[in-house]
Amino acid sequence: MIFLEHLWLIPLLPALGAAIELFLGRRIGRGAVSVVSVGLPGAAFAWALGCFAELLAQPGHSFTQVLYTWLPAGAFHLSNGGLGQFVVRVGLLLDPLSTVMLLVVTGVGFLIHVYSIGYMAHEGGYYRFFGYMNLFLFSMLLLVLADNYLLMFAGWEGVGLCSYFLIGFYFERRSAADAGKKAFVVNRIGDAGFLLGVMLIAVTFGTLNFQQVTTAARSGQLAVGSGVVTAICLLLFVGATGKSAQIPLYVWLPDAMEGPTPVSALIHAATMVTAGVYMVARSSALYVLAPAALGVVAAIGAATAIWAASMGLVQNDIKRVLAYSTVSQLGYMFLACGVGAFGAGIFHLMTHAFFKALLFLGAGSVIHALGGEQDIRKMGGLWRKIPITFATFLAATLAISGVPGFSGFFSKDEIIWNSISSPYGHTALWVVGWVTAGLTALYMFRLLFMTFFGKSRGAPEAQHHLHESPWSMLIALIVLGTLSVIGGYVNWPVEFFGHFLAPVFANPLALHGERYSHGLEMGLMMGTILIVLVGAAVAYWMYIRKPELPAHLAEAAAPVYELVLNKYYVDELYDAMVVNRVKNLGNLLAAFDQGVVDAGVNGLGGATRLTADLSRLYDKWVVDGIVNVAAFGVKLLSYPARVIQTGRVQSYAWMITLGALILMAFYILHFR
């Protein structure tokens, strides 16, 4: 078991790459940065494959590796009145669920790194970009390999920090800097819920270890529908809505397009946004004890799927169309988890990683060919000019649309079927999933037709610049294109994928059985195929046969079109209700300190003046005092170093000479 015994190497390799690139990247040059930044994630992927092979031979397909004790907190009182020993260890867990995530993260992440060499070849901050990318990969691997909630949370926060760095990579551009901050702040809101859920797990079960929590949940100690388990699941799901961009915390994800295209592919396809789905699936033993929480997950997932799909219909930025598509597909995954089909949700997570990474990288290839153009209204007629990009983009479009034979068909059809057949399912959920499938085909084929077909609508200088991408980029497209075609066959005709994951989700307390016949399943599948074909046909009619039709429809239904085009004004609503109100509160508190309100206070009585005076005193002596004391402490502790580090060569020469003399005196006195 050479691979499993050294499982810790998998997250360590990209962490080592990040350290080399961020600390030495400026000195070692682009060539060395490229080798390190791609070689170490590639080695991590190869090691993951070895671990997967060895895991198949393990009893129960499970392996745990404890590295060291992190928090030996000792005894504490549980919520049920008992006494527990609370210990958190830094441990790694490899089971079927984490194995799927491990292979997706390392495999797709490695391909995106390879692609990035060509895409970022002429960009500034080359070493910084790959340092952040490797650090992002390390954080995500820590998240999926952790054997407890607290270590998962450390990786969870790590990907949040790296997303801030990568989304705001072009920090000199105001929109990119703002997008990075927006992603960071919105995710912190969700993370607060996640952290509260983790705390509630600790006081309820006396442990944060996944396997111990699962065993306790399945033992029957807590009744189905228990209030505390429902609260835990809802709090965890708050974290998932932030990280995986679900209503109401999805607003950061479209703005994340401000980062370089490989960043969009890494965040949207294989890593950060799938973390919430993975966390809910990992907590399946808790969720089946909380049917109310499952209902919330399913409802939010379904609502997000159709909500985001509607906005994808009218976006004109090639990457923003794909961003809303990601939000919608994540909704499908949560819909699956919400009806208890956790395996189907993870299956779609895997196939989505293939075709969504390909779509973003294909979009990057188009942008690269057009010299930076992202508006699909200024594209067209590209399929002859960049044929490899077109062929792979077409494969990904067919896959995400759910066309039979492609990977997305198998996973999406399984979700739609479970949305009605599962004991936790409902007809309304099936209808939403079915309609969303048609909308997905419509906006994706709209994107395909406007980008690659018809006459060129671009500027003449863009046509002169037009060229196929370098092979460092095309190799990743070809591999992902192949996976987008064949990836779904791991679960058909033999359900290998489902059987592999079954031990993780098997639960004696879960409801089992399907409520409908397999004959109806075939009928509903044909209905899904039909609506996908209708969506593709409508896109063909509107954007190939009658290209003037969309403008006429937009004009005829101008209020509705403007509403959807402006994203239902959700960002403006959040600004009005939350952001600006917080700003107002901050300005009001600052006004007390600056004496701006003194004139108004003078005529309002002694109590109000006293309040203002106390506010100023508190700010000056407590808030400023704490900061000043901390600064003085740092200044005091750094005094010896400041004396030595003068920046003067003469001083350094004098200290070297003095040190040499002291050493000579020591040796003379000691050895004479």
Side-chain angles (χ1 to χ4, degrees), residues 114-115 118 388 468-478:
V114 172
Y115 175 97
I388 298 177
E468 185 63 278
S469 297
W471 278 104
S472 60
M473 296 169 63
L474 295 180
I475 288 172
L477 298 183
I478 293 169

Side-chain angles (χ1 to χ4, degrees), residues 453-624:
F453 290 88
K455 296 180 180 179
S456 175
R457 300 176 297 276
E461 56 270 19
Q463 297 302 310
H464 293 305
H465 183 273
L466 191 58
H467 61 282
E468 185 63 278
S469 297
W471 278 104
S472 60
M473 296 169 63
L474 295 180
I475 288 172
L477 298 183
I478 293 169
V479 174
L480 288 169
T482 303
L483 292 173
S484 296
V485 175
I486 68 173
Y489 290 95
V490 298
N491 211 39
W492 187 90
V494 178
E495 293 188 359
F496 168 79
F497 191 85
H499 291 314
F500 182 60
L501 286 176
V504 180
F505 302 127
N507 195 323
L509 301 178
L511 298 177
H512 297 287
E514 295 179 347
R515 299 182 296 166
Y516 299 96
S517 68
H518 289 286
L520 179 61
E521 179 182 4
M522 294 301 296
L524 294 178
M525 181 182 71
M526 296 305 296
T528 302
I529 294 173
L530 178 61
I531 197 170
V532 167
L533 295 177
V534 168
V538 170
Y540 176 77
W541 179 261
M542 293 179 66
Y543 298 99
I544 299 296
R545 295 297 301 274
K546 300 286 185 181
E548 72 282 357
L549 185 57
H552 294 324
L553 289 176
E555 185 178 354
V560 176
Y561 176 76
E562 290 295 326
L563 178 66
V564 181
L565 182 64
N566 288 285
K567 303 165 290 185
Y568 299 102
Y569 297 100
V570 171
D571 283 290
E572 289 78 3
L573 182 64
Y574 283 179
D575 281 344
M577 296 181 62
V578 181
V579 177
N580 291 335
R581 302 292 74 80
V582 172
K583 289 180 180 177
N584 290 344
L585 178 60
N587 291 334
L588 180 62
L589 294 176
F592 277 104
D593 187 51
Q594 297 168 4
V596 174
V597 295
D598 281 352
V601 168
N602 289 333
L604 294 178
T608 308
R609 283 197 300 274
L610 178 62
T611 301
D613 291 339
L614 290 175
S615 175
R616 283 193 291 272
L617 290 172
Y618 177 83
D619 190 52
K620 180 177 180 180
W621 294 104
V622 179
V623 177
D624 288 352

Side-chain angles (χ1 to χ4, degrees), residues 322 355-356 358-359 389-403 406 408-409 412 440-449 452 484 532 536:
L322 299 178
F355 56 69
K356 185 51 62 67
L358 176 55
L359 286 168
T389 299
F390 164 69
T392 54
F393 201 94
L394 174 62
T397 300
L398 295 171
I400 191 174
S401 299
V403 173
F406 292 80
F409 164 75
K412 188 180 292 186
T440 302
L442 176 54
Y443 69 67
M444 284 308 306
F445 277 95
R446 168 184 179 261
L447 179 62
L448 180 76
F449 293 146
F452 292 99
S484 296
V532 167

Side-chain angles (χ1 to χ4, degrees), residues 242-474:
K243 198 66 71 183
S244 294
Q246 298 294 284
I247 293 174
L249 299 179
Y250 70 92
V251 292
W252 69 270
L253 196 60
D255 290 349
M257 298 302 97
E258 292 290 340
T261 300
V263 171
S264 303
L266 190 64
I267 291 177
H268 285 237
T271 56
M272 179 173 169
V273 298
T274 62
V277 180
Y278 168 71
M279 184 263 289
V280 170
R282 175 59 73 191
S283 308
S284 61
L286 296 174
Y287 277 90
V288 297
L289 292 178
L294 279 179
V296 171
V297 173
I300 293 294
T304 304
I306 196 167
W307 178 266
S310 68
M311 289 183 278
L313 291 171
V314 297
Q315 296 298 311
N316 296 311
D317 184 303
I318 188 171
K319 290 171 64 176
R320 283 187 176 270
V321 175
L322 299 178
Y324 284 108
S325 170
T326 298
V327 178
S328 181
Q329 297 303 306
L330 289 165
Y332 266 119
M333 298 174 206
F334 281 111
L335 170 59
C337 292
V339 297
F342 299 100
I346 296 299
F347 186 26
H348 195 56
L349 183 155
M350 183 190 73
T351 61
H352 176 264
F354 300 151
F355 56 69
K356 185 51 62 67
L358 176 55
L359 286 168
F360 271 111
L361 298 185
S365 185
V366 170
I367 295 167
H368 182 270
L370 294 174
E373 183 59 66
Q374 295 185 202
D375 193 332
I376 59 177
R377 294 171 297 184
K378 299 178 182 178
M379 299 180 186
L382 296 179
W383 73 275
R384 292 182 185 273
K385 306 290 186 180
I386 46 176
I388 298 177
T389 299
F390 164 69
T392 54
F393 201 94
L394 174 62
T397 300
L398 295 171
I400 191 174
S401 299
V403 173
F406 292 80
S407 62
F409 164 75
F410 298 100
S411 57
K412 188 180 292 186
D413 180 70
E414 189 171 342
I415 292 174
I416 294 176
W417 167 243
N418 275 282
S419 69
I420 191 172
S421 65
S422 167
Y424 301 100
H426 194 277
T427 305
L429 297 175
W430 177 85
V431 171
V432 173
W434 182 73
V435 172
T436 303
L439 295 178
T440 302
L442 176 54
Y443 69 67
M444 284 308 306
F445 277 95
R446 168 184 179 261
L447 179 62
L448 180 76
F449 293 146
M450 291 188 70
T451 302
F452 292 99
F453 290 88
K455 296 180 180 179
S456 175
R457 300 176 297 276
E461 56 270 19
Q463 297 302 310
H464 293 305
H465 183 273
L466 191 58
H467 61 282
E468 185 63 278
S469 297
W471 278 104
S472 60
M473 296 169 63
L474 295 180

